[in-house]
Amino acid sequence: MGNVVNLYWKLENTANGISQLLNKMGEHPGITCRSAISFKNINKGDVFVIHGCYSRHIVSYLIVLVLCRCRFYWCPHGSLQKNTLKKSYIRKYLFHFSISTLVYYFSQGVIYVSDQERKRSIASFKGRSRVIDNGLDKIGKHFFEEKTTRPPEFVYIGRLDTYHKGLDRLAEWAAPLGNSLKVFGPLNEEIQEQLPSLNFKGPIFGVDKVRALLGARALIMLSRHEGLPVIAIEALRAGTPLILTDECNMSDVIYKYNCGFIVNSQQELVAACSYFSEMNDETFIKYSQNSVNAFQDCYTLEKMITGYKNLT
């Protein structure tokens, strides 16, 4: 039986959530990760999974795998959703059409990272799709011991992208929150000038990111499209509730586990933040435990690895 080989051209980008996740998977027997592929390093007994979209690397990976008659899947990470196609529609649609045609006729199928992503995608692949949720390792118990109470503060952590990540929404809807909302991400002078009302704090990684999540009442994310945001899983892992738009593809988990709110307007966002700010510690602890339960039931690395190993 061969390995599962994950192909992703951004593996060296340690700030990228998918890169971190795949590199972690690659530490386990039976799973390897590569940022390049050629005719020389193909084992036909392996199953290949191509991650991502909108790159010339995708096309080259597909051509090599098709010519070598390998078994492979495509994981678009939200790129097939209708909301994703709204911006630069013609370019994206043509790109998707060419890739989807190759995938439809030559692949084993498509892997979606959430059930909501599959439902929102433009291609069904007629039963040749499956869902494997993103997953993470658990964090050490000592982190939880550091924080006994949480101040009425909120965080956004991620890429500073006005349209995709909804930072324009965040600036408008979260204006009443003032400095109680901290925005972490790689500094971008253009966006900082466009959205001066946001409380930008710069990039944050590793232990500092875990502590920032542990010190917040909730993670706020108002994206216009996502596959399954890794940072939201990191928040649940830290016992931090979520305040998300429905397009983040986690509403089913939020409703099932009562670990946050889905918001679609400034009024709903402000109401959710007020609720978390004013609740007593006992009530917040229940929400926090619900968040951890959601992580443990849905988004562990072990569950994700099992899903990928089952491809072989």
Side-chain angles (χ1 to χ4, degrees):
M1 185 178 293
N3 290 333
V4 174
V5 180
N6 290 295
L7 296 171
Y8 189 49
W9 67 95
K10 292 183 179 179
L11 283 174
E12 70 284 354
N13 183 358
T14 56
N16 181 286
I18 301 300
S19 297
Q20 293 175 350
L21 187 153
L22 293 177
N23 280 319
K24 194 68 178 176
M25 285 179 61
E27 298 174 4
H28 289 256
I31 297 179
T32 59
C33 296
R34 297 179 191 163
S35 57
I37 187 175
S38 68
F39 293 101
K40 296 179 180 179
N41 63 4
I42 283 183
N43 177 359
K44 289 189 177 180
D46 292 339
V47 174
F48 296 84
V49 182
I50 302 174
H51 292 266
C53 193
Y54 305 132
S55 169
R56 59 183 174 80
H57 299 275
I58 287 285
V59 178
S60 62
Y61 292 165
L62 283 169
I63 291 172
V64 171
L65 293 174
V66 169
L67 290 176
C68 291
R69 298 184 180 181
C70 295
R71 294 181 297 158
F72 69 92
Y73 293 84
W74 179 35
C75 185
H77 290 280
S79 297
L80 288 178
Q81 295 177 117
K82 297 181 180 74
N83 281 350
T84 311
L85 294 171
K86 287 182 179 179
K87 190 176 181 182
S88 304
Y89 175 80
I90 296 177
R91 178 179 63 85
K92 288 182 177 179
Y93 187 83
L94 291 174
F95 197 86
H96 282 144
F97 179 78
S98 60
I99 290 181
S100 297
T101 300
L102 281 172
V103 171
Y104 182 82
Y105 285 105
F106 297 103
S107 77
Q108 304 297 109
V110 171
I111 296 173
Y112 294 113
V113 293
S114 70
D115 192 52
Q116 286 182 271
E117 181 199 359
R118 173 163 60 180
K119 292 175 181 177
R120 288 184 163 134
S121 293
I122 60 172
S124 65
F125 291 92
K126 295 183 178 180
R128 291 194 298 125
S129 66
R130 63 178 70 198
V131 175
I132 303 177
D133 295 306
N134 290 335
L136 297 171
D137 269 335
K138 298 177 182 178
I139 57 176
K141 292 182 179 179
H142 64 280
F143 282 111
F144 292 98
E145 295 169 358
E146 293 179 13
K147 293 283 184 181
T148 53
T149 60
R150 303 195 189 196
E153 293 181 347
F154 304 89
V155 294
Y156 166 86
I157 302 176
R159 185 157 52 88
L160 301 186
D161 185 301
T162 304
Y163 181 81
H164 175 192
K165 298 297 183 180
L167 288 191
D168 54 341
R169 288 175 170 177
L170 192 65
E172 179 184 353
W173 295 5
L177 301 181
N179 288 334
S180 65
L181 170 63
K182 297 178 181 179
V183 177
F184 295 95
L187 293 176
N188 184 315
E189 291 184 5
E190 182 180 349
I191 290 181
Q192 288 177 272
E193 291 175 0
Q194 291 174 357
L195 307 172
S197 62
L198 290 177
N199 183 19
F200 293 103
K201 294 294 184 181
I204 191 169
F205 307 104
V207 172
D208 291 332
K209 181 165 63 171
V210 173
R211 289 189 172 126
L213 289 168
L214 285 165
R217 284 280 170 136
L219 171 80
I220 299 176
M221 197 169 190
L222 306 180
S223 298
R224 288 183 170 87
H225 55 86
E226 296 282 352
L228 182 62
V230 175
I231 186 60
I233 300 174
E234 292 182 80
L236 294 177
R237 179 179 65 173
T240 303
L242 305 174
I243 301 176
L244 310 177
T245 47
D246 186 50
E247 293 92 335
C248 289
N249 286 340
M250 297 184 72
S251 58
D252 51 350
V253 171
I254 287 176
Y255 293 140
K256 179 178 179 179
Y257 288 89
N258 191 26
C259 57
F261 293 97
I262 297 297
V263 298
N264 296 294
S265 67
Q266 182 186 56
Q267 183 178 5
E268 292 178 357
L269 174 65
V270 172
C273 291
S274 297
Y275 180 72
F276 278 124
S277 295
E278 297 168 6
M279 69 171 51
N280 58 42
D281 288 344
E282 182 180 356
T283 304
F284 180 78
I285 288 172
K286 292 180 181 178
Y287 270 92
S288 183
Q289 186 58 54
N290 290 346
S291 302
V292 174
N293 292 342
F295 165 74
Q296 292 177 341
D297 289 351
C298 305
Y299 301 123
T300 62
L301 185 63
E302 291 82 1
K303 183 178 178 182
M304 183 181 182
I305 287 170
T306 298
Y308 273 84
K309 285 187 174 180
N310 286 340
L311 296 176
T312 60

